[in-house]
Protein backbone atom coordinates (compact mmCIF):
# COMPACT_ATOMS: atom_id res chain seq x y z
CA UNK A 1 0.00 0.00 0.00
CA UNK A 2 1.19 3.51 -0.76
CA UNK A 3 1.50 5.44 2.51
CA UNK A 4 1.41 9.25 2.30
CA UNK A 5 2.47 10.95 5.55
CA UNK A 6 1.43 14.59 5.87
CA UNK A 7 2.68 17.27 8.28
CA UNK A 8 1.94 20.98 8.52
CA UNK A 9 4.89 23.07 9.66
CA UNK A 10 4.89 26.52 11.16
CA UNK A 11 6.95 28.27 13.80
CA UNK A 12 5.63 29.42 17.17
CA UNK A 13 8.82 31.39 17.90
CA UNK A 14 9.52 33.30 14.68
CA UNK A 15 7.87 36.64 14.01
CA UNK A 16 4.53 36.31 12.25
CA UNK A 17 5.62 38.42 9.25
CA UNK A 18 8.72 36.25 8.63
CA UNK A 19 7.23 32.92 9.65
CA UNK A 20 7.19 30.25 6.99
CA UNK A 21 4.45 27.64 6.87
CA UNK A 22 4.51 24.56 4.66
CA UNK A 23 2.44 21.45 4.10
CA UNK A 24 4.82 18.54 3.52
CA UNK A 25 4.36 14.95 2.42
CA UNK A 26 6.44 11.81 2.22
CA UNK A 27 5.25 8.84 0.17
CA UNK A 28 6.49 5.26 0.45
CA UNK A 29 5.32 1.69 -0.01
CA UNK A 30 4.62 -0.40 3.08
CA UNK A 31 2.65 -3.42 4.19
CA UNK A 32 2.33 -1.80 7.64
CA UNK A 33 -0.51 0.71 7.99
CA UNK A 34 -0.17 3.28 10.77
CA UNK A 35 -3.07 3.74 13.17
CA UNK A 36 -4.13 6.69 15.30
CA UNK A 37 -1.84 7.09 18.30
CA UNK A 38 1.26 5.59 16.66
CA UNK A 39 4.46 7.61 17.03
CA UNK A 40 6.29 7.89 13.71
CA UNK A 41 10.08 8.08 13.38
CA UNK A 42 11.78 9.34 10.22
CA UNK A 43 15.37 10.35 9.38
CA UNK A 44 14.10 13.81 8.38
CA UNK A 45 12.70 14.53 11.83
CA UNK A 46 14.93 16.50 14.18
CA UNK A 47 14.58 16.61 17.96
CA UNK A 48 15.74 20.25 17.92
CA UNK A 49 12.36 21.21 16.40
CA UNK A 50 9.99 18.77 18.16
CA UNK A 51 10.09 15.50 20.05
CA UNK A 52 8.15 13.29 17.64
CA UNK A 53 5.04 13.03 15.52
CA UNK A 54 1.85 11.20 16.43
CA UNK A 55 -0.64 9.77 13.93
CA UNK A 56 -3.88 11.72 14.42
CA UNK A 57 -5.86 10.65 11.35
CA UNK A 58 -5.71 7.81 8.84
CA UNK A 59 -7.69 7.93 5.60
CA UNK A 60 -7.80 4.83 3.39
CA UNK A 61 -8.53 4.83 -0.33
CA UNK A 62 -8.85 1.18 -1.32
CA UNK A 63 -9.57 2.04 -4.96
CA UNK A 64 -6.11 3.66 -5.25
CA UNK A 65 -4.42 1.41 -2.68
CA UNK A 66 -3.39 4.56 -0.74
CA UNK A 67 -3.32 5.54 2.89
CA UNK A 68 -3.13 9.21 3.97
CA UNK A 69 -1.60 9.64 7.42
CA UNK A 70 -1.92 13.02 9.16
CA UNK A 71 0.81 13.64 11.73
CA UNK A 72 0.80 16.09 14.63
CA UNK A 73 3.88 17.16 16.62
CA UNK A 74 3.94 16.03 20.24
CA UNK A 75 5.60 19.27 21.44
CA UNK A 76 5.61 22.59 19.58
CA UNK A 77 7.80 24.65 21.88
CA UNK A 78 11.23 23.10 21.22
CA UNK A 79 12.31 24.93 18.04
CA UNK A 80 16.05 25.03 18.77
CA UNK A 81 16.56 25.27 15.00
CA UNK A 82 14.88 27.55 12.46
CA UNK A 83 11.88 26.36 10.50
CA UNK A 84 13.83 26.94 7.27
CA UNK A 85 16.66 24.68 8.46
CA UNK A 86 14.14 22.02 9.49
CA UNK A 87 12.33 22.14 6.14
CA UNK A 88 15.67 21.76 4.33
CA UNK A 89 16.43 18.66 6.42
CA UNK A 90 13.02 17.18 5.57
CA UNK A 91 13.53 17.91 1.86
CA UNK A 92 16.91 16.13 2.01
CA UNK A 93 15.10 13.06 3.44
CA UNK A 94 12.50 12.57 0.68
CA UNK A 95 9.78 14.88 2.04
CA UNK A 96 8.31 17.37 -0.41
CA UNK A 97 6.29 20.56 -0.18
CA UNK A 98 2.72 20.19 -1.44
CA UNK A 99 -0.08 22.61 -2.05
CA UNK A 100 -3.41 22.04 -0.31
CA UNK A 101 -5.06 21.92 -3.75
CA UNK A 102 -2.98 18.84 -4.57
CA UNK A 103 -4.51 16.98 -1.65
CA UNK A 104 -8.01 17.93 -2.77
CA UNK A 105 -7.34 16.29 -6.17
CA UNK A 106 -6.58 12.94 -4.55
Amino acid sequence: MKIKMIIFLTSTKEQQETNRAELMMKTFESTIRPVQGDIIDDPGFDSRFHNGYEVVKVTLNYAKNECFVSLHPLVLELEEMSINEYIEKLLANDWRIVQKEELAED
Side-chain angles (χ1 to χ4, degrees), residues 7 40-47 50 53 71 86 89-90 95:
I7 55 177
I40 303 296
D41 189 21
D42 185 87
F45 298 161
D46 195 305
S47 62
H50 63 82
Y53 281 100
L71 304 176
Y86 185 52
K89 182 173 182 180
L90 287 167
W95 288 81

Side-chain angles (χ1 to χ4, degrees), residues 2-56:
K2 188 179 292 183
I3 308 293
K4 295 185 174 189
M5 293 191 301
I6 302 165
I7 55 177
F8 179 75
L9 297 174
T10 189
S11 173
T12 58
K13 291 188 176 182
E14 293 182 28
Q15 296 292 327
Q16 191 170 13
E17 56 273 1
T18 61
N19 187 10
R20 181 177 178 185
E22 298 289 359
L23 183 65
M24 299 192 73
M25 179 188 296
K26 183 173 187 176
T27 303
F28 57 93
E29 290 287 331
S30 179
T31 57
I32 300 170
R33 181 179 68 84
V35 296
Q36 188 174 358
D38 283 353
I39 306 299
I40 303 296
D41 189 21
D42 185 87
F45 298 161
D46 195 305
S47 62
R48 293 175 294 162
F49 199 80
H50 63 82
N51 69 340
Y53 281 100
E54 180 179 5
V55 174
V56 293

Side-chain angles (χ1 to χ4, degrees), residues 1-6 25 27-30 32-34 58-69 96 102-103 105-106:
M1 177 172 278
K2 188 179 292 183
I3 308 293
K4 295 185 174 189
M5 293 191 301
I6 302 165
M25 179 188 296
T27 303
F28 57 93
E29 290 287 331
S30 179
I32 300 170
R33 181 179 68 84
V58 177
T59 305
L60 296 172
N61 184 328
Y62 287 109
K64 293 184 177 182
N65 198 31
E66 291 180 335
C67 175
F68 286 88
V69 180
R96 65 185 183 89
E102 182 180 341
L103 293 176
E105 294 172 4
D106 289 331

